[in-house]
Amino acid sequence: MVSVVARAGAAALRSFENRKPVLLRRRLFASAPRCSSLQPPDVPLLADAARISLSEKEVEDFAPKIRQVIDWFGQLQAVDLVSVQPSFRADTELNADLREDSPETFQNREAMLAEVPNYDSPYIKVPKVINKE
Amino acid sequence: MASIFFQGIRSNQLIVYPLAHFSRIQTAVYCTLQRPQGQARPQEVSFQEQRKVQQTSSQTTTRKPLEQNMQGYEAIIGIETHVQLSTVTKAFCSCPYFYGSPPNTTICPVCMGLPGTLPVLNSKVVDFAVKLALALNCELSVTSKFDRKQYFYPDLPKGYQISQFDIPIATKGFIDLDLPVEFGGGHKRFGITRVHMEEDAGKLLHSDSGSYSHVDLNRAGVPLLEIVSEPDMRSGLEAAEYAAELQRLVRYLGVSNGNMQEGSLRCDVNVSIRPRGQLELGTKVEIKNMNSFSAMNRAIDYEISRQFLLHSQGQSDQIVQETRLWEEGYQKTVTMRKKEGLADYRYFPEPDLPEVVVTEDYIENIRSSLPELPELKRRRYEKMGLSMQDVLFLADDISVANFFDSTLENGAEAKLAANWIMGDIAAYLKNEHLSIDEVKLTPQELAELISSIKGGIISGKIGKEILFELITKGGTVQKIIEEKDLVQIVDPGAIEAMVDKILEENPKQLQQYRGGKTKLQGFFAGQVMKESKGKANPTLLNKILSEKLNANSK
């Protein structure tokens, strides 16, 4: 969710920079976060999805802060994007860095496997998880 | 802001079976995470329900088209196929991949998802994706991007899968196929919604007892192409043939070995039914764990019956959106744990990978390197006057088709070449578990064999012997004929002499023949053949033999 906003932010910023001087978007400079039309985040749900455990106090603390960040970006809702081409990514280089299909064996496999907390050679041992709930 | 996103997925709003591809933007209420692997413990279905469904499904074990039993309902089927690409290295790192390697040997920090690693896209993956997309008549996205599909599971090292969400590399294609002759034949065209690139997860092996499982990350990061079909199929047969044609296609193109048993071709099916004429779709049910095309066929037909039965009992509300597993042993689908709502994968663009750009030149290069695709081959063979049965057999395997084409180039007639390939040669290959490229017979020699028989130099029977020699030991037809002195005897005088000799040597049988046992002509013919070491021309032999036998009985 956040990075979709970030994408939109980058694109909007670019169009903002390229705008004709006449069109002033005053509303973008509002200092106080406006009442956003975006839904407030469900922090317990987000925490669960991200597998981060929060105490009730932490949820109380974080919820308004997260909301503030979202609303701050949410100001971009006001930008008129009808004549702007959608961009997929924020970078401007169109250079796809592709790799040749030639094999290389990683030489230090033992070091990686030595770091596995529960190694039941040759497998990585994990708690039994059937369906993620 | 929302409009940017929706512009991106506008083209995808017609997808009927997204199967949790799309998460809602606004934070919605999702509780569960559906992990797409068929290793869950199925719920026990009540005995009564089992028996009822079995009674209905017994009708579907015959090869009748299912529509006959459906009385006003039609089935809507869509298929998601994952094809494991046969690149040398993985999608985002240079680890080699071999099916069956010892566990956790083809791994590196990138595919293990260790901190600080970055993915680098394998160029072959794009080549193969474009190849397949062109073969599926798709529109290619000039630029596409990767996204992170986030969920937690032990076989997913990074905690996300690099996939393509809203801007896949290809969309809006179709595939043509022919239904097998024994099921009524006919052409079918099924739509392809999209093709996109993604990476595979590792392998999770559950222990039978105990509270632990084992993870093997050899497969993590192997490139996959996901092909999503339009919900155009209407029966288990059509679905199975669609999957078989995809397999044929990926093998033709050389992008995958397409083995369902090995897991390099995996199909998940979505089935729903609705009254004919109704626009609204019924509740769709996903089916997993089908390991062969025939299993797909049976699983889908079973599921259609199950849903139809519930409808006919007025219990259509019992059909819920869920994932069911096909139980090969019981020949039925059973519930996995019911999921509550769609999974929230929190997709966002993969920041570690640049856009994938395909230029016109690049696309045309790949297009010109495509082999003749199965559909075109089938139409070409049809025009040659071959029967549909022959056409489907010859076009099924690209090596066989190439062998057949070469044989024709060397001057052989289509029907004769087809007969040899589909008959004696196919039988040998099947017995010895070989492919046509692995035997010593060459297309030139097959053509030579055919023309030798046609020209009367050798008999058909001798031809079969020579064929066996050519397959197992190679060599040329000419040489074998010379070395073994196999030239057919067509001189009437020589044959007459042999017939006389045999008749003299077998007076008892001759008497029996005169007495009415006309079947003994076969016995005499066999003796003359033996005498001539198989070289007597059969037609001439029987003609002369008949004359002599009947003449003497005057």
Side-chain angles (χ1 to χ4, degrees):
Chain A
M1 164 92 173
V2 173
S3 77
V4 178
V5 181
R7 263 191 316 155
L13 233 83
R14 223 183 310 165
S15 80
F16 180 73
E17 281 159 26
N18 296 333
R19 79 200 188 288
K20 297 196 180 75
V22 173
L23 304 159
L24 274 174
R25 297 256 175 231
R26 269 203 204 96
R27 283 189 286 174
L28 257 156
F29 289 110
S31 50
R34 304 174 53 76
C35 201
S36 166
S37 54
L38 298 168
Q39 273 187 28
D42 185 336
V43 177
L45 210 70
L46 282 176
D48 183 54
R51 300 295 183 274
I52 297 175
S53 39
L54 295 180
S55 66
E56 279 208 31
K57 175 114 191 359
E58 285 170 319
V59 172
E60 263 183 58
D61 283 345
F62 290 163
K65 292 179 184 172
I66 296 176
R67 169 138 202 202
Q68 261 186 321
V69 174
I70 292 178
D71 287 346
W72 187 73
F73 277 105
Q75 298 173 96
L76 295 168
Q77 302 269 66
V79 177
D80 172 15
L81 295 165
V82 168
S83 54
V84 177
Q85 274 288 14
S87 78
F88 304 158
R89 295 179 48 80
D91 57 21
T92 47
E93 278 176 45
L94 289 183
N95 185 25
D97 219 345
L98 296 176
R99 174 178 56 84
E100 226 186 87
D101 190 27
S102 28
E104 277 172 35
T105 310
F106 183 70
Q107 290 306 323
N108 210 350
R109 205 166 51 89
E110 298 74 30
M112 292 196 302
L113 295 174
E115 294 295 318
V116 172
N118 212 338
Y119 186 56
D120 192 6
S121 184
Y123 295 105
I124 300 167
K125 197 170 180 183
V126 297
K128 197 167 199 172
V129 179
I130 307 281
N131 249 346
K132 216 27 217 112
E133 292 279 317
Chain B
M1 184 265 291
S3 64
I4 295 180
F5 188 88
F6 283 120
Q7 262 174 326
I9 63 168
R10 203 187 305 133
S11 59
N12 292 333
Q13 270 166 11
L14 295 174
I15 294 179
V16 181
Y17 288 76
L19 213 127
H21 268 301
F22 302 109
S23 61
R24 331 260 324 281
I25 290 215
Q26 286 77 21
T27 53
V29 185
Y30 302 116
C31 312
T32 62
L33 207 51
Q34 175 65 32
R35 170 62 183 133
Q37 255 190 0
Q39 285 163 343
R41 204 157 308 219
Q43 267 182 13
E44 291 306 305
V45 180
S46 80
F47 182 67
Q48 296 291 73
E49 205 185 327
Q50 275 177 18
R51 211 157 26 124
K52 272 205 205 120
V53 183
Q54 252 158 29
Q55 279 167 1
T56 325
S57 65
S58 63
Q59 293 169 319
T60 60
T61 53
T62 61
R63 288 187 156 171
K64 262 183 288 181
L66 195 65
E67 291 83 55
Q68 289 176 2
N69 305 332
M70 288 276 285
Q71 288 159 0
Y73 279 81
E74 63 175 351
I76 312 286
I77 301 160
I79 301 180
E80 285 183 8
T81 309
H82 289 87
V83 176
Q84 211 172 59
L85 298 182
S86 53
T87 54
V88 177
T89 62
K90 295 185 177 181
F92 300 111
C93 64
S94 299
C95 288
Y97 172 72
F98 312 105
Y99 179 74
S101 304
N104 290 314
T105 48
T106 58
I107 53 176
C108 76
V110 179
C111 49
M112 271 192 95
L114 298 186
T117 55
L118 292 172
V120 184
L121 180 59
N122 180 346
S123 58
K124 261 273 176 311
V125 175
V126 186
D127 293 346
F128 284 4
V130 174
K131 244 187 172 164
L132 185 59
L134 289 174
L136 290 173
N137 308 289
C138 290
E139 288 173 24
L140 283 164
S141 306
V142 175
T143 52
S144 62
K145 66 172 170 68
F146 287 102
D147 299 283
R148 291 189 183 179
K149 179 177 178 179
Q150 302 180 88
Y151 61 95
F152 293 97
Y153 206 64
D155 65 4
L156 195 66
K158 297 191 289 292
Y160 58 86
Q161 176 197 32
I162 299 179
S163 177
Q164 293 188 295
F165 175 45
D166 52 334
I167 322 263
I169 190 162
T171 53
K172 299 205 207 83
F174 60 86
I175 189 170
D176 290 311
L177 53 86
D178 290 282
L179 294 178
V181 177
E182 58 266 30
F183 293 111
H187 297 335
K188 284 280 175 186
R189 173 172 286 194
F190 298 126
I192 303 283
T193 311
R194 54 184 276 155
V195 178
H196 72 251
M197 306 178 277
E198 59 183 27
E199 57 173 350
D200 209 348
K203 260 210 193 102
L204 191 57
L205 304 146
H206 295 296
S207 68
D208 293 320
S209 61
S211 57
Y212 66 90
S213 302
H214 281 147
V215 176
D216 169 18
L217 291 180
N218 278 346
R219 201 183 63 177
V222 170
L224 300 175
L225 285 179
E226 179 170 335
I227 305 162
V228 181
S229 81
E230 291 286 326
D232 288 346
M233 290 69 135
R234 296 284 173 269
S235 69
L237 174 71
E238 292 188 357
E241 284 307 311
Y242 165 84
E245 184 69 9
L246 277 186
Q247 183 191 63
R248 201 167 290 129
L249 203 56
V250 299
R251 286 178 176 177
Y252 256 66
L253 296 170
V255 303
S256 168
N257 63 19
N259 276 336
M260 276 192 97
Q261 287 71 17
E262 234 176 73
S264 45
L265 185 81
R266 302 169 223 161
C267 290
D268 297 331
V269 180
N270 292 290
V271 182
S272 70
I273 67 174
R274 69 179 175 195
R276 268 186 215 281
Q278 180 181 300
L279 276 177
E280 202 190 312
L281 293 161
T283 313
K284 74 174 194 290
V285 173
E286 185 190 5
I287 308 175
K288 285 180 169 311
N289 200 34
M290 297 157 292
N291 293 323
S292 65
F293 300 136
S294 68
M296 275 177 74
N297 194 343
R298 282 174 277 122
I300 292 167
D301 283 350
Y302 174 89
E303 181 59 25
I304 294 173
S305 300
R306 184 190 78 93
Q307 292 188 14
F308 178 65
L309 182 68
L310 289 172
H311 270 268
S312 65
Q313 290 174 337
Q315 290 182 328
S316 58
D317 54 339
Q318 294 261 337
I319 305 171
V320 293
Q321 182 170 333
E322 59 170 342
T323 302
R324 297 174 75 88
L325 295 178
W326 171 247
E327 289 284 324
E328 186 69 30
Y330 297 109
Q331 291 288 296
K332 55 194 194 52
T333 61
V334 290
T335 326
M336 256 168 84
R337 219 169 303 173
K338 291 199 174 100
K339 57 183 172 182
E340 309 176 15
L342 290 168
D344 181 4
Y345 292 119
R346 290 155 285 129
Y347 287 96
F348 72 87
E350 171 58 74
D352 296 337
L353 288 169
E355 283 176 341
V356 180
V357 179
V358 287
T359 61
E360 280 290 330
D361 285 342
Y362 175 73
I363 297 173
E364 282 319 305
N365 254 345
I366 301 223
R367 198 195 297 273
S368 55
S369 79
L370 291 178
E372 185 187 32
L373 297 178
E375 175 61 14
L376 284 177
K377 246 198 231 304
R378 287 191 291 258
R379 303 286 73 82
R380 183 163 65 86
Y381 289 171
E382 237 188 338
K383 286 209 189 78
M384 280 181 202
L386 295 169
S387 74
M388 245 357 245
Q389 195 116 14
D390 294 352
V391 167
L392 291 180
F393 182 94
L394 292 169
D396 183 50
D397 181 332
I398 196 176
S399 321
V400 172
N402 287 340
F403 194 96
F404 175 71
D405 285 335
S406 294
T407 309
L408 296 190
E409 273 164 35
N410 279 292
E413 238 178 69
K415 185 62 189 166
L416 296 175
N419 286 344
W420 281 104
I421 292 176
M422 289 175 63
D424 292 312
I425 299 176
Y428 181 85
L429 295 176
K430 190 163 172 218
N431 269 340
E432 304 296 317
H433 302 289
L434 294 171
S435 85
I436 205 166
D437 292 333
E438 291 169 323
V439 297
K440 300 209 167 74
L441 174 69
T442 64
Q444 297 90 315
E445 289 310 313
L446 179 60
E448 182 64 33
L449 185 69
I450 292 172
S451 72
S452 299
I453 297 175
K454 202 154 175 235
I457 302 175
I458 48 171
S459 69
K461 193 150 172 292
I462 296 278
K464 288 195 182 223
E465 289 174 25
I466 298 181
L467 180 77
F468 187 78
E469 172 110 1
L470 289 171
I471 290 178
T472 50
K473 302 206 197 91
T476 67
V477 176
Q478 294 296 346
K479 267 195 105 192
I480 296 175
I481 291 179
E482 271 173 36
E483 279 170 14
K484 302 207 173 172
D485 182 30
L486 296 172
V487 179
Q488 207 173 197
I489 300 174
V490 293
D491 171 22
I495 295 183
E496 272 189 47
M498 284 193 278
V499 171
D500 288 336
K501 179 161 178 259
I502 293 296
L503 290 181
E504 252 182 63
E505 287 176 359
N506 296 285
K508 197 170 83 179
Q509 286 84 345
L510 191 55
Q511 242 184 5
Q512 284 175 330
Y513 180 86
R514 304 256 178 76
K517 260 193 167 178
T518 50
K519 272 205 186 150
L520 282 172
Q521 174 163 357
F523 165 77
F524 291 123
Q527 292 298 314
V528 177
M529 266 303 190
K530 217 165 68 174
E531 179 73 21
S532 73
K533 297 196 189 59
K535 293 188 286 183
N537 178 301
T539 333
L540 205 53
L541 160 60
N542 272 307
K543 178 160 161 278
I544 294 175
L545 186 60
S546 296
E547 279 173 13
K548 293 222 172 239
L549 284 171
N550 295 328
N552 285 351
S553 68
K554 276 204 198 96

